[in-house]
Amino acid sequence: MQFPAATPTAPAAPAPTALRVELGERSYPILIGSGLLHSPELLARDVRHRDILLVTNTVVAPLYADELERSLAEGPAHGGSNASRATRRIVRVVLPDGEQHKTLATAGRVFDVLIANRFGRDALVMALGGGVVGDLAGFVAACYQRGVDLVQVPTTLLAHVDSAVGGKTAVNHPGGKNLIGAFHQPRAVIADTDLLRTLPDRELSAGLAEVIKYGLIRDAGFFDWLEDNVEALLAREPAALAHAIRRSCEIKAQIVGSDEREHGERALLNLGHTFGHAIESAGGYVGTLHGEAVAVGMLIATDMAARLGLADAALLVRLRALLGRARLPLLAPPIGARRALEYMRIDKKVQSGRVRLVLPVGLGDATVSADYPDAALAETLGAWFGP
Ligand code: NAD
Ligand code: GLY
């Protein structure tokens, strides 16, 4: 196993790392480390609210919700006085598990709870879960009384490295994924790496797809490191996981800090997503995990780039090998090129009716392009999704 020069002797249980997303007065910390949920003092730095709505789901609640609520109840609230700690209210909402529940109807249930409990504008919504819980709770926080505070406590690898950071919140619509949403940055991201111990292997691999994405779009050295360390990551070696999460969050924080609303380089973070969303939407959001769809989508994007002469065909070979070793799928479902294109046409990157594609142009570099021959897209889609 090899680590980069910056972490040559990485300890087994690394100390917490604090990164920052720089967005002026809306800047916030990303705390990454082991045992964070057990640290009332640490939580209290960013969570001083009296009223907290803890949004989680049926899988995560029995694992971590009691523990988090205990730490919150022990920490100082609302300026730190004992009186206000005694009056802290934590209301828990447990959502059904699964991407198919990331809907307006589910969000409506959460609004009902906020209103029934008469939570005000000074309330905090805390998301304890993977990207589905985080996106939905974030959407609720963005809308309730025109916006209340949000803290993300991610519990999947994908949420640690991607969805908890950056302020994209959304729910799905039967017509397409993440079509209804808002930008709403959290006040803090508290990423306790211990929570990943209970994550199913398949979900860990799905998170690795987004980790590999960062190497592909921005950091060739990180991609090399992933090639050297993918088995250590699958074995959940703490130092390897900590490095992968930290480097991914550094890249994401830098991109979000310079292009919060996706007017430019943030679109690169969607590499593989336009093709991947077609896979997820066609499957009704069941069967294929988001990270798995992104993995196949990255292969399709790289293949398209190779067909256009933007990327070397060797890049596709290298990417396929790494995704395969990360135990990710390498083939698209046979939904047909025309159907895939229909789903791609309602992607949020469509401008003036034209699908903009994120295409790798070499290891560690990618571009967004609407300037490609339609025939090249049709050929690529046909090759992957069938006629
Ligand atoms: P998920 O939230 O569905 O979680 C995956 C599964 O793991 C679920 O069954 C969940 O209950 C379970 N789980 C979560 N934490 C666990 C733990 N610690 N131990 C055991 N089981 C656990 O899926 P995900 O991959 O985390 O997120 C996917 C979602 O994230 C998609 O909806 C996608 O659109 C969204 N996303 C958003 C952004 C963004 O920037 N907002 C970025 C990437 C993805
Ligand atoms: N996951 C894509 C983004 O945050 O922009």
Side-chain angles (χ1 to χ4, degrees), residues 11-41:
T17 305
L19 304 175
R20 218 171 149 69
V21 180
E22 296 293 350
L23 288 167
E25 61 185 21
R26 290 177 297 111
S27 299
Y28 56 93
I30 307 171
L31 216 58
I32 304 165
S34 160
L36 305 184
L37 243 54
H38 291 291
S39 173
E41 296 73 26

PDB file of all heavy atoms in Angstrom, residues 11-41:
ATOM      1  N   PRO A  11      -1.393   7.637  10.573  1.00  0.00           N
ATOM      2  CA  PRO A  11      -1.721   6.811  11.734  1.00  0.00           C
ATOM      3  C   PRO A  11      -2.993   6.008  11.502  1.00  0.00           C
ATOM      4  O   PRO A  11      -3.796   6.323  10.633  1.00  0.00           O
ATOM      5  CB  PRO A  11      -1.939   7.855  12.839  1.00  0.00           C
ATOM      6  CG  PRO A  11      -2.331   9.098  12.120  1.00  0.00           C
ATOM      7  CD  PRO A  11      -1.631   9.068  10.802  1.00  0.00           C
ATOM      8  N   ALA A  12      -3.201   4.947  12.326  1.00  0.00           N
ATOM      9  CA  ALA A  12      -4.377   4.097  12.140  1.00  0.00           C
ATOM     10  C   ALA A  12      -5.658   4.862  12.418  1.00  0.00           C
ATOM     11  O   ALA A  12      -6.651   4.670  11.758  1.00  0.00           O
ATOM     12  CB  ALA A  12      -4.270   2.900  13.064  1.00  0.00           C
ATOM     13  N   ALA A  13      -5.655   5.729  13.422  1.00  0.00           N
ATOM     14  CA  ALA A  13      -6.861   6.505  13.729  1.00  0.00           C
ATOM     15  C   ALA A  13      -6.503   7.989  13.637  1.00  0.00           C
ATOM     16  O   ALA A  13      -6.114   8.609  14.624  1.00  0.00           O
ATOM     17  CB  ALA A  13      -7.375   6.170  15.110  1.00  0.00           C
ATOM     18  N   PRO A  14      -6.584   8.548  12.440  1.00  0.00           N
ATOM     19  CA  PRO A  14      -6.102   9.921  12.242  1.00  0.00           C
ATOM     20  C   PRO A  14      -6.890  10.927  13.068  1.00  0.00           C
ATOM     21  O   PRO A  14      -8.081  10.735  13.332  1.00  0.00           O
ATOM     22  CB  PRO A  14      -6.335  10.156  10.749  1.00  0.00           C
ATOM     23  CG  PRO A  14      -6.703   8.832  10.172  1.00  0.00           C
ATOM     24  CD  PRO A  14      -7.207   7.970  11.263  1.00  0.00           C
ATOM     25  N   ALA A  15      -6.204  11.989  13.469  1.00  0.00           N
ATOM     26  CA  ALA A  15      -6.868  13.065  14.219  1.00  0.00           C
ATOM     27  C   ALA A  15      -7.857  13.770  13.303  1.00  0.00           C
ATOM     28  O   ALA A  15      -7.676  13.765  12.079  1.00  0.00           O
ATOM     29  CB  ALA A  15      -5.814  14.048  14.700  1.00  0.00           C
ATOM     30  N   PRO A  16      -8.930  14.397  13.875  1.00  0.00           N
ATOM     31  CA  PRO A  16      -9.890  15.083  13.018  1.00  0.00           C
ATOM     32  C   PRO A  16      -9.225  16.153  12.158  1.00  0.00           C
ATOM     33  O   PRO A  16      -8.287  16.810  12.595  1.00  0.00           O
ATOM     34  CB  PRO A  16     -10.861  15.730  14.012  1.00  0.00           C
ATOM     35  CG  PRO A  16     -10.694  14.986  15.272  1.00  0.00           C
ATOM     36  CD  PRO A  16      -9.298  14.451  15.296  1.00  0.00           C
ATOM     37  N   THR A  17      -9.713  16.264  10.936  1.00  0.00           N
ATOM     38  CA  THR A  17      -9.221  17.301  10.026  1.00  0.00           C
ATOM     39  C   THR A  17     -10.330  18.326   9.875  1.00  0.00           C
ATOM     40  O   THR A  17     -11.490  17.952   9.756  1.00  0.00           O
ATOM     41  CB  THR A  17      -9.007  16.693   8.617  1.00  0.00           C
ATOM     42  OG1 THR A  17      -8.157  15.584   8.737  1.00  0.00           O
ATOM     43  CG2 THR A  17      -8.425  17.694   7.652  1.00  0.00           C
ATOM     44  N   ALA A  18      -9.968  19.593   9.863  1.00  0.00           N
ATOM     45  CA  ALA A  18     -10.985  20.617   9.599  1.00  0.00           C
ATOM     46  C   ALA A  18     -10.657  21.298   8.280  1.00  0.00           C
ATOM     47  O   ALA A  18      -9.606  21.908   8.144  1.00  0.00           O
ATOM     48  CB  ALA A  18     -11.023  21.633  10.728  1.00  0.00           C
ATOM     49  N   LEU A  19     -11.543  21.136   7.321  1.00  0.00           N
ATOM     50  CA  LEU A  19     -11.434  21.860   6.054  1.00  0.00           C
ATOM     51  C   LEU A  19     -12.476  22.965   6.102  1.00  0.00           C
ATOM     52  O   LEU A  19     -13.310  23.019   6.993  1.00  0.00           O
ATOM     53  CB  LEU A  19     -11.712  20.936   4.871  1.00  0.00           C
ATOM     54  CG  LEU A  19     -10.847  19.681   4.754  1.00  0.00           C
ATOM     55  CD1 LEU A  19     -11.336  18.832   3.598  1.00  0.00           C
ATOM     56  CD2 LEU A  19      -9.395  20.079   4.551  1.00  0.00           C
ATOM     57  N   ARG A  20     -12.452  23.827   5.095  1.00  0.00           N
ATOM     58  CA  ARG A  20     -13.411  24.915   5.082  1.00  0.00           C
ATOM     59  C   ARG A  20     -13.888  25.172   3.662  1.00  0.00           C
ATOM     60  O   ARG A  20     -13.079  25.178   2.727  1.00  0.00           O
ATOM     61  CB  ARG A  20     -12.708  26.173   5.618  1.00  0.00           C
ATOM     62  CG  ARG A  20     -13.590  27.004   6.471  1.00  0.00           C
ATOM     63  CD  ARG A  20     -12.835  28.112   7.164  1.00  0.00           C
ATOM     64  NE  ARG A  20     -13.733  29.235   7.337  1.00  0.00           N
ATOM     65  CZ  ARG A  20     -14.763  29.234   8.168  1.00  0.00           C
ATOM     66  NH1 ARG A  20     -15.010  28.184   8.913  1.00  0.00           N
ATOM     67  NH2 ARG A  20     -15.552  30.282   8.261  1.00  0.00           N
ATOM     68  N   VAL A  21     -15.180  25.366   3.516  1.00  0.00           N
ATOM     69  CA  VAL A  21     -15.709  25.833   2.236  1.00  0.00           C
ATOM     70  C   VAL A  21     -15.790  27.344   2.358  1.00  0.00           C
ATOM     71  O   VAL A  21     -16.496  27.865   3.237  1.00  0.00           O
ATOM     72  CB  VAL A  21     -17.109  25.237   1.942  1.00  0.00           C
ATOM     73  CG1 VAL A  21     -17.630  25.736   0.599  1.00  0.00           C
ATOM     74  CG2 VAL A  21     -17.045  23.711   1.960  1.00  0.00           C
ATOM     75  N   GLU A  22     -15.037  28.047   1.529  1.00  0.00           N
ATOM     76  CA  GLU A  22     -14.952  29.511   1.650  1.00  0.00           C
ATOM     77  C   GLU A  22     -16.025  30.170   0.791  1.00  0.00           C
ATOM     78  O   GLU A  22     -15.946  30.181  -0.432  1.00  0.00           O
ATOM     79  CB  GLU A  22     -13.563  30.005   1.213  1.00  0.00           C
ATOM     80  CG  GLU A  22     -12.418  29.527   2.087  1.00  0.00           C
ATOM     81  CD  GLU A  22     -12.444  30.096   3.516  1.00  0.00           C
ATOM     82  OE1 GLU A  22     -13.246  31.023   3.785  1.00  0.00           O
ATOM     83  OE2 GLU A  22     -11.664  29.600   4.355  1.00  0.00           O
ATOM     84  N   LEU A  23     -17.047  30.698   1.459  1.00  0.00           N
ATOM     85  CA  LEU A  23     -18.131  31.385   0.748  1.00  0.00           C
ATOM     86  C   LEU A  23     -18.493  32.662   1.504  1.00  0.00           C
ATOM     87  O   LEU A  23     -19.669  32.900   1.811  1.00  0.00           O
ATOM     88  CB  LEU A  23     -19.362  30.470   0.636  1.00  0.00           C
ATOM     89  CG  LEU A  23     -19.256  29.294  -0.347  1.00  0.00           C
ATOM     90  CD1 LEU A  23     -20.384  28.309  -0.128  1.00  0.00           C
ATOM     91  CD2 LEU A  23     -19.276  29.789  -1.793  1.00  0.00           C
ATOM     92  N   GLY A  24     -17.492  33.442   1.841  1.00  0.00           N
ATOM     93  CA  GLY A  24     -17.744  34.688   2.567  1.00  0.00           C
ATOM     94  C   GLY A  24     -18.419  34.410   3.884  1.00  0.00           C
ATOM     95  O   GLY A  24     -18.010  33.511   4.627  1.00  0.00           O
ATOM     96  N   GLU A  25     -19.514  35.166   4.146  1.00  0.00           N
ATOM     97  CA  GLU A  25     -20.153  34.990   5.465  1.00  0.00           C
ATOM     98  C   GLU A  25     -20.904  33.664   5.575  1.00  0.00           C
ATOM     99  O   GLU A  25     -21.340  33.279   6.663  1.00  0.00           O
ATOM    100  CB  GLU A  25     -21.081  36.169   5.780  1.00  0.00           C
ATOM    101  CG  GLU A  25     -22.207  36.344   4.792  1.00  0.00           C
ATOM    102  CD  GLU A  25     -23.020  37.602   5.076  1.00  0.00           C
ATOM    103  OE1 GLU A  25     -22.493  38.509   5.753  1.00  0.00           O
ATOM    104  OE2 GLU A  25     -24.175  37.671   4.614  1.00  0.00           O
ATOM    105  N   ARG A  26     -21.041  32.965   4.448  1.00  0.00           N
ATOM    106  CA  ARG A  26     -21.677  31.642   4.500  1.00  0.00           C
ATOM    107  C   ARG A  26     -20.640  30.504   4.498  1.00  0.00           C
ATOM    108  O   ARG A  26     -20.964  29.366   4.212  1.00  0.00           O
ATOM    109  CB  ARG A  26     -22.672  31.495   3.352  1.00  0.00           C
ATOM    110  CG  ARG A  26     -23.919  32.370   3.526  1.00  0.00           C
ATOM    111  CD  ARG A  26     -24.864  32.279   2.354  1.00  0.00           C
ATOM    112  NE  ARG A  26     -24.226  32.773   1.146  1.00  0.00           N
ATOM    113  CZ  ARG A  26     -23.879  32.011   0.118  1.00  0.00           C
ATOM    114  NH1 ARG A  26     -24.159  30.729   0.135  1.00  0.00           N
ATOM    115  NH2 ARG A  26     -23.284  32.532  -0.926  1.00  0.00           N
ATOM    116  N   SER A  27     -19.390  30.846   4.787  1.00  0.00           N
ATOM    117  CA  SER A  27     -18.346  29.803   4.865  1.00  0.00           C
ATOM    118  C   SER A  27     -18.672  28.822   5.983  1.00  0.00           C
ATOM    119  O   SER A  27     -19.335  29.182   6.952  1.00  0.00           O
ATOM    120  CB  SER A  27     -16.985  30.446   5.157  1.00  0.00           C
ATOM    121  OG  SER A  27     -16.634  31.325   4.128  1.00  0.00           O
ATOM    122  N   TYR A  28     -18.191  27.602   5.837  1.00  0.00           N
ATOM    123  CA  TYR A  28     -18.480  26.617   6.884  1.00  0.00           C
ATOM    124  C   TYR A  28     -17.398  25.540   6.948  1.00  0.00           C
ATOM    125  O   TYR A  28     -16.682  25.299   5.973  1.00  0.00           O
ATOM    126  CB  TYR A  28     -19.860  25.981   6.679  1.00  0.00           C
ATOM    127  CG  TYR A  28     -20.079  25.326   5.333  1.00  0.00           C
ATOM    128  CD1 TYR A  28     -19.835  23.973   5.128  1.00  0.00           C
ATOM    129  CD2 TYR A  28     -20.545  26.074   4.263  1.00  0.00           C
ATOM    130  CE1 TYR A  28     -20.068  23.381   3.896  1.00  0.00           C
ATOM    131  CE2 TYR A  28     -20.774  25.494   3.026  1.00  0.00           C
ATOM    132  CZ  TYR A  28     -20.537  24.147   2.850  1.00  0.00           C
ATOM    133  OH  TYR A  28     -20.758  23.554   1.633  1.00  0.00           O
ATOM    134  N   PRO A  29     -17.308  24.896   8.110  1.00  0.00           N
ATOM    135  CA  PRO A  29     -16.287  23.853   8.265  1.00  0.00           C
ATOM    136  C   PRO A  29     -16.773  22.484   7.808  1.00  0.00           C
ATOM    137  O   PRO A  29     -17.971  22.191   7.874  1.00  0.00           O
ATOM    138  CB  PRO A  29     -16.058  23.849   9.782  1.00  0.00           C
ATOM    139  CG  PRO A  29     -17.372  24.258  10.357  1.00  0.00           C
ATOM    140  CD  PRO A  29     -18.024  25.186   9.361  1.00  0.00           C
ATOM    141  N   ILE A  30     -15.822  21.685   7.362  1.00  0.00           N
ATOM    142  CA  ILE A  30     -16.068  20.247   7.140  1.00  0.00           C
ATOM    143  C   ILE A  30     -15.143  19.553   8.132  1.00  0.00           C
ATOM    144  O   ILE A  30     -13.923  19.629   8.005  1.00  0.00           O
ATOM    145  CB  ILE A  30     -15.672  19.799   5.720  1.00  0.00           C
ATOM    146  CG1 ILE A  30     -16.320  20.661   4.642  1.00  0.00           C
ATOM    147  CG2 ILE A  30     -16.015  18.326   5.516  1.00  0.00           C
ATOM    148  CD1 ILE A  30     -15.768  20.380   3.233  1.00  0.00           C
ATOM    149  N   LEU A  31     -15.748  18.925   9.102  1.00  0.00           N
ATOM    150  CA  LEU A  31     -14.954  18.243  10.122  1.00  0.00           C
ATOM    151  C   LEU A  31     -14.907  16.766   9.772  1.00  0.00           C
ATOM    152  O   LEU A  31     -15.962  16.134   9.628  1.00  0.00           O
ATOM    153  CB  LEU A  31     -15.657  18.447  11.461  1.00  0.00           C
ATOM    154  CG  LEU A  31     -14.777  18.629  12.665  1.00  0.00           C
ATOM    155  CD1 LEU A  31     -13.855  19.818  12.462  1.00  0.00           C
ATOM    156  CD2 LEU A  31     -15.648  18.863  13.890  1.00  0.00           C
ATOM    157  N   ILE A  32     -13.712  16.223   9.620  1.00  0.00           N
ATOM    158  CA  ILE A  32     -13.582  14.812   9.227  1.00  0.00           C
ATOM    159  C   ILE A  32     -12.771  14.098  10.301  1.00  0.00           C
ATOM    160  O   ILE A  32     -11.652  14.521  10.617  1.00  0.00           O
ATOM    161  CB  ILE A  32     -12.835  14.680   7.881  1.00  0.00           C
ATOM    162  CG1 ILE A  32     -13.526  15.504   6.788  1.00  0.00           C
ATOM    163  CG2 ILE A  32     -12.733  13.212   7.455  1.00  0.00           C
ATOM    164  CD1 ILE A  32     -12.650  15.721   5.552  1.00  0.00           C
ATOM    165  N   GLY A  33     -13.312  13.024  10.856  1.00  0.00           N
ATOM    166  CA  GLY A  33     -12.525  12.310  11.863  1.00  0.00           C
ATOM    167  C   GLY A  33     -13.309  11.177  12.495  1.00  0.00           C
ATOM    168  O   GLY A  33     -14.471  10.933  12.160  1.00  0.00           O
ATOM    169  N   SER A  34     -12.633  10.516  13.425  1.00  0.00           N
ATOM    170  CA  SER A  34     -13.222   9.370  14.111  1.00  0.00           C
ATOM    171  C   SER A  34     -13.804   9.828  15.453  1.00  0.00           C
ATOM    172  O   SER A  34     -13.214  10.661  16.137  1.00  0.00           O
ATOM    173  CB  SER A  34     -12.093   8.349  14.313  1.00  0.00           C
ATOM    174  OG  SER A  34     -12.411   7.458  15.321  1.00  0.00           O
ATOM    175  N   GLY A  35     -14.964   9.317  15.828  1.00  0.00           N
ATOM    176  CA  GLY A  35     -15.528   9.580  17.154  1.00  0.00           C
ATOM    177  C   GLY A  35     -16.206  10.931  17.309  1.00  0.00           C
ATOM    178  O   GLY A  35     -16.490  11.353  18.428  1.00  0.00           O
ATOM    179  N   LEU A  36     -16.491  11.609  16.224  1.00  0.00           N
ATOM    180  CA  LEU A  36     -17.064  12.966  16.329  1.00  0.00           C
ATOM    181  C   LEU A  36     -18.454  12.945  16.975  1.00  0.00           C
ATOM    182  O   LEU A  36     -18.820  13.863  17.699  1.00  0.00           O
ATOM    183  CB  LEU A  36     -17.144  13.642  14.959  1.00  0.00           C
ATOM    184  CG  LEU A  36     -15.846  13.743  14.144  1.00  0.00           C
ATOM    185  CD1 LEU A  36     -16.065  14.526  12.868  1.00  0.00           C
ATOM    186  CD2 LEU A  36     -14.742  14.383  14.968  1.00  0.00           C
ATOM    187  N   LEU A  37     -19.207  11.876  16.697  1.00  0.00           N
ATOM    188  CA  LEU A  37     -20.569  11.820  17.246  1.00  0.00           C
ATOM    189  C   LEU A  37     -20.568  11.693  18.772  1.00  0.00           C
ATOM    190  O   LEU A  37     -21.563  11.977  19.431  1.00  0.00           O
ATOM    191  CB  LEU A  37     -21.315  10.625  16.644  1.00  0.00           C
ATOM    192  CG  LEU A  37     -22.544  10.955  15.802  1.00  0.00           C
ATOM    193  CD1 LEU A  37     -22.208  11.926  14.719  1.00  0.00           C
ATOM    194  CD2 LEU A  37     -23.171   9.707  15.226  1.00  0.00           C
ATOM    195  N   HIS A  38     -19.423  11.222  19.302  1.00  0.00           N
ATOM    196  CA  HIS A  38     -19.338  11.058  20.760  1.00  0.00           C
ATOM    197  C   HIS A  38     -18.775  12.292  21.439  1.00  0.00           C
ATOM    198  O   HIS A  38     -18.401  12.216  22.607  1.00  0.00           O
ATOM    199  CB  HIS A  38     -18.415   9.881  21.094  1.00  0.00           C
ATOM    200  CG  HIS A  38     -19.005   8.564  20.718  1.00  0.00           C
ATOM    201  ND1 HIS A  38     -20.085   8.034  21.367  1.00  0.00           N
ATOM    202  CD2 HIS A  38     -18.687   7.699  19.741  1.00  0.00           C
ATOM    203  CE1 HIS A  38     -20.404   6.887  20.810  1.00  0.00           C
ATOM    204  NE2 HIS A  38     -19.575   6.656  19.815  1.00  0.00           N
ATOM    205  N   SER A  39     -18.660  13.367  20.734  1.00  0.00           N
ATOM    206  CA  SER A  39     -17.999  14.535  21.304  1.00  0.00           C
ATOM    207  C   SER A  39     -18.964  15.717  21.413  1.00  0.00           C
ATOM    208  O   SER A  39     -19.085  16.528  20.490  1.00  0.00           O
ATOM    209  CB  SER A  39     -16.795  14.911  20.433  1.00  0.00           C
ATOM    210  OG  SER A  39     -16.260  16.113  20.885  1.00  0.00           O
ATOM    211  N   PRO A  40     -19.674  15.822  22.556  1.00  0.00           N
ATOM    212  CA  PRO A  40     -20.637  16.915  22.714  1.00  0.00           C
ATOM    213  C   PRO A  40     -19.977  18.279  22.526  1.00  0.00           C
ATOM    214  O   PRO A  40     -20.572  19.176  21.917  1.00  0.00           O
ATOM    215  CB  PRO A  40     -21.127  16.753  24.152  1.00  0.00           C
ATOM    216  CG  PRO A  40     -20.867  15.336  24.497  1.00  0.00           C
ATOM    217  CD  PRO A  40     -19.670  14.922  23.723  1.00  0.00           C
ATOM    218  N   GLU A  41     -18.737  18.423  22.989  1.00  0.00           N
ATOM    219  CA  GLU A  41     -18.066  19.731  22.887  1.00  0.00           C
ATOM    220  C   GLU A  41     -17.852  20.100  21.424  1.00  0.00           C
ATOM    221  O   GLU A  41     -18.068  21.237  21.005  1.00  0.00           O
ATOM    222  CB  GLU A  41     -16.707  19.720  23.606  1.00  0.00           C
ATOM    223  CG  GLU A  41     -16.782  19.493  25.109  1.00  0.00           C
ATOM    224  CD  GLU A  41     -17.131  18.047  25.465  1.00  0.00           C
ATOM    225  OE1 GLU A  41     -16.847  17.144  24.646  1.00  0.00           O
ATOM    226  OE2 GLU A  41     -17.714  17.830  26.550  1.00  0.00           O
TER     227      GLU A  41
END
